[in-house]
Amino acid sequence: KLQQQIRFCSFDSQDLQILLELSPPPFAKADLYRQLQYVQEYVRDLGCQALLIERHYIDRDHMEDHSVFYSKNLQPYANSCRRIHFFSCSLPDLKRHLKRLRAVTDREEFHRQADEFSQKSYIGFSVIKPLAGCPVGRTVLRCFPEGPLETGYVRSFDCACDYHAHVLGIPLHIRGLAFQQQDVGVSACATTALWSALQRTRALEETSAATPAQITIRASQYALPFGRSMPSEGLSIDQMCQAVHSFGYAPNLFRADAYDVARALLYSAVRSGISPVLILESLDKSAAHAVAIAGMKLRTSRPESSDSLLDDSAATLSGLYLHDDRIGPYLKAELRQRRKKAYINIPLRDSPTGETWRLSHVLIPMHAKIRLSFGELQRASLAVVTYVHAFRESVLDQPPCKTSWDAWITKSHSYVESLIVGPQPAPGEVVEKLSGSVPFSRYLAVIRVWATDLEPIDVLLDSTSTERNLQCLAVVATTKAGPSTQSMVSLLAEKFACAAIT
């Protein structure tokens, strides 16, 4: 007989392993519960005080893994899981809040108060699978607080998306990026990295989520370079691309040959709200690994560069927050340069220097309608900045100065909305003229340029066009433009044969 049980606990010094009564299986490794311990320390850092544990929870990812693999084992593994919810309020306050919410009878007021409670007290949840050797299933936790870090740095989690949970009739929501550990039965590191990255891609288009079992099956449908598909021995890069393509997305794969190029690709992709998968290679080339990016660590000021007049916003990228299935979610990592190559340094608790991997490839799952790659967007950005320098000197008769730019891809309606309610709203007439006269593709590629004597100028590109036939839709002055900016908008619009919006 099925029976649900809800258990409330204070979050004190007791380990989650003990609280969940997890027993290591025979032949278990010493760091068996590494991911669970990481989750425990992560929520403690976010101020967790109370836990709510659901004894019987059906998780779609585990259910599918169970149906294709674990149901065929001699050992009768359960198809249900447990789920832990983490809260930053005390245990008495948690019970009081939930009781108060259940007493609200007005629908709108009920959801308003539930949202308020989520924002204030809900840290997230972790699904605990009935697999003693790899218990951490789908885990969604609140990101580190965005905004200022130590002096000179900020966090940015553009890859986060919204998740919803229901407990005792109360709707809860959390913004983050889902994580889980590999089980080496259905999934290895490449599968779990793709699974996390596709969570974000799915949120952009509101399609069904891919499960680890689906990713592994589709990836190994036509090629098995590492033997059988399950138990999983890992995926090749070709298989990872095949899996992305099978879900209706376009796998944009880049070889990370140069540090500057790799940094620009990563910055633009995360800035666009797309989670890239990093394919890493050990320094002795004996091992490979895959991780998903959840966010970035950015400098608040541009690093001083020689005499260059080019100031790419990607130069502010100094670190990444990774989902590493061996360790945990939102793992702080450094992006380093060595001999003009890109390296990722991942910190480890038992090693003061951490471990360093060479960045081999970057795989970016994108909507199939976006035909302009981030590499092509970077080249287009350099062309725009080159024209800005040329026009300033030859037409506007102004001395050369440093020009800054940023580049990203976004949905067209999100771009227009950002002009209305963004940090620096555009004049109403600009938004009206842009919306009423310029046809948009579903996704826009945006190149934003500014300088000491130029207010921000956005060059809008059609993301459905290719580099050989790249079409510019409009050049927009996003603020009240001075004479120099208005002249530059007109010159760029004439050069790119598109509308000038000022």
Side-chain angles (χ1 to χ4, degrees), residues 352-364:
T353 59
E355 58 181 23
T356 299
W357 299 77
R358 186 181 72 83
L359 180 58
S360 171
H361 293 78
V362 178
L363 174 58
I364 307 175

Side-chain angles (χ1 to χ4, degrees), residues 254-262 265 338-343 358-362:
F254 302 93
R255 185 183 296 276
D257 288 327
Y259 169 80
D260 289 339
V261 174
L265 290 174
R338 183 188 302 176
R339 295 188 295 273
K340 295 186 178 181
K341 298 287 187 179
Y343 290 81
R358 186 181 72 83
L359 180 58
S360 171
H361 293 78
V362 178

Side-chain angles (χ1 to χ4, degrees), residues 398-413:
Q398 294 175 339
C401 72
K402 183 167 290 189
T403 303
S404 304
W405 84 91
D406 201 350
W408 68 96
I409 294 174
T410 183
K411 286 185 175 180
S412 55
H413 71 82

